[in-house]
Amino acid sequence: MHDSIKAVNGDIKLIWPGEEEWIEYFDDNREDVANHIDFTAIHPYILWRKYPETSPFYDGFYKIQKEMLKKRNIPTEIWVTETGWTTYLPDSIRRHFPPVTEYQQAQYLVRNYLVQLYFGAGKMFWYELVEEPFGVHHPESGFGILRYNTMLTVKPAAVAFANMVNNYRYLKPVGKYLAKDRKTYGFIYENEKESGAPVLSIWREADEKEELIPVKYTKSLTGVDIFGRTIEIPIIDGMAHLPLSMSVLTVSGFDMDDLKNLYEPKEQY
């Protein structure tokens, strides 16, 4: 299969499932197969745990998987080729996927992209672009971020996706924010388009809470929500007051000296 595909177009990539049991497949005297894999792919659905940060793909998964791949001389790039949350309307039947609201779908989309790309995904593909026409109570109908109609009208997740691309296009992740509360999550980035200016992404798992960050050198802060709306972050008596919710807040304006002790540097593997 590999040789036939490459004969048509050498740039076509061959994907292999990247879960543990599929990687261990190469241990059974199939070393020659590994030489034909360009990268592996995973489908990190959350199912009944719901939140992106409660998935095993948060933090340790990628490091372990890449170590397994490297040990077997397989390329270590991992793509997320299917992931998502569905907004179908619940009925009396217990389904495989729990439904979420359209607003929650938008929140989880951004959080999931930031988490997966930070910890090791090379590329990500949301499942799926347009809703399926199976009826409002069918789980497959609600994964799309565009509605199934003649105008392909957008759901909130589509707006959030567009703003995420705009806000994070030039950001390089440098560390994980060291939150005092285990239900607060965040990452520190450097804006490569603005001489490495620091940017903080920060959010709560499932509630709202104000995050206080001591600042000595920072003069002003601006926050952007997942729909592109901006707010001025108040700085009072040397403390920045960040209003956190389940939606990612992207904050710029920090002096890096105020953040240098507030994050764990990104591990390279």
Side-chain angles (χ1 to χ4, degrees):
M1 183 186 298
H2 172 274
D3 293 345
S4 297
I5 291 172
K6 295 295 184 179
V8 174
N9 186 339
D11 293 331
I12 294 176
K13 304 300 182 183
L14 195 63
I15 308 173
W16 184 262
E19 310 296 346
E20 182 173 339
E21 64 271 20
W22 288 105
I23 294 176
E24 291 178 344
Y25 172 90
F26 295 109
D27 291 336
D28 189 19
N29 300 314
R30 295 181 174 93
E31 293 84 356
D32 59 322
V33 180
N35 296 330
H36 298 87
I37 303 301
D38 293 302
F39 53 85
T40 56
I42 58 174
H43 294 175
Y45 288 98
I46 307 304
L47 297 179
W48 295 104
R49 283 174 290 187
K50 188 178 290 187
Y51 305 121
E53 305 78 23
T54 59
S55 162
F57 298 93
Y58 182 86
D59 206 353
F61 170 86
Y62 283 101
K63 181 178 181 179
I64 295 172
Q65 300 301 95
K66 290 191 175 188
E67 287 175 348
M68 292 176 63
L69 291 167
K70 185 176 181 180
K71 178 181 177 181
R72 293 163 175 81
N73 296 315
I74 307 170
T76 59
E77 183 169 0
I78 299 174
W79 285 16
V80 174
T81 53
E82 192 175 305
T83 185
W85 280 260
T86 174
T87 61
Y88 73 93
L89 299 180
D91 54 17
S92 60
I93 302 175
R94 181 181 172 87
R95 308 289 187 176
H96 189 52
F97 291 97
V100 299
T101 68
E102 290 189 354
Y103 192 62
Q104 287 173 325
Q105 184 189 51
Q107 294 171 324
Y108 298 157
L109 181 151
V110 178
R111 286 160 54 173
N112 196 39
Y113 265 80
L114 297 187
V115 165
Q116 303 292 340
L117 292 173
Y118 178 86
F119 285 113
K123 292 183 183 294
M124 285 188 64
F125 299 85
W126 184 264
Y127 181 80
E128 55 191 326
L129 181 60
V130 182
E131 292 181 331
E132 298 282 2
F134 299 139
V136 296
H137 297 298
H138 196 295
E140 292 293 317
S141 295
F143 280 104
I145 62 176
L146 301 177
R147 295 186 179 87
Y148 183 80
N149 56 40
T150 56
M151 299 297 292
L152 294 179
T153 52
V154 300
K155 293 163 69 174
V159 181
F161 181 86
N163 279 288
M164 177 187 66
V165 172
N166 179 67
N167 293 334
Y168 288 83
R169 185 189 303 272
Y170 301 105
L171 301 190
K172 175 185 176 182
V174 296
K176 182 170 64 173
Y177 178 68
L178 297 174
K180 299 181 181 65
D181 189 314
R182 65 185 182 89
K183 300 294 186 180
T184 296
Y185 300 89
F187 302 113
I188 307 294
Y189 300 82
E190 291 180 348
N191 190 330
E192 295 184 317
K193 193 177 181 181
E194 298 183 6
S195 303
V199 175
L200 169 66
S201 67
I202 189 167
W203 66 93
R204 292 285 294 172
E205 181 178 288
D207 59 11
E208 297 181 0
K209 187 176 182 180
E210 188 174 69
E211 182 83 354
L212 299 179
I213 297 180
V215 292
K216 183 178 180 181
Y217 305 102
T218 299
K219 303 303 181 183
S220 64
L221 293 171
T222 301
V224 181
D225 73 3
I226 62 174
F227 300 118
R229 298 171 296 197
T230 61
I231 61 171
E232 295 302 315
I233 306 296
I235 299 176
I236 303 171
D237 296 329
M239 301 293 290
H241 294 245
L242 279 63
L244 304 190
S245 69
M246 293 172 63
S247 293
V248 171
L249 180 66
T250 304
V251 185
S252 58
F254 279 105
D255 188 300
M256 196 60 177
D257 285 338
D258 286 328
L259 294 175
K260 62 183 179 181
N261 296 320
L262 297 180
Y263 71 93
E264 176 185 287
K266 179 176 171 59
E267 187 174 1
Q268 302 298 323
Y269 45 78

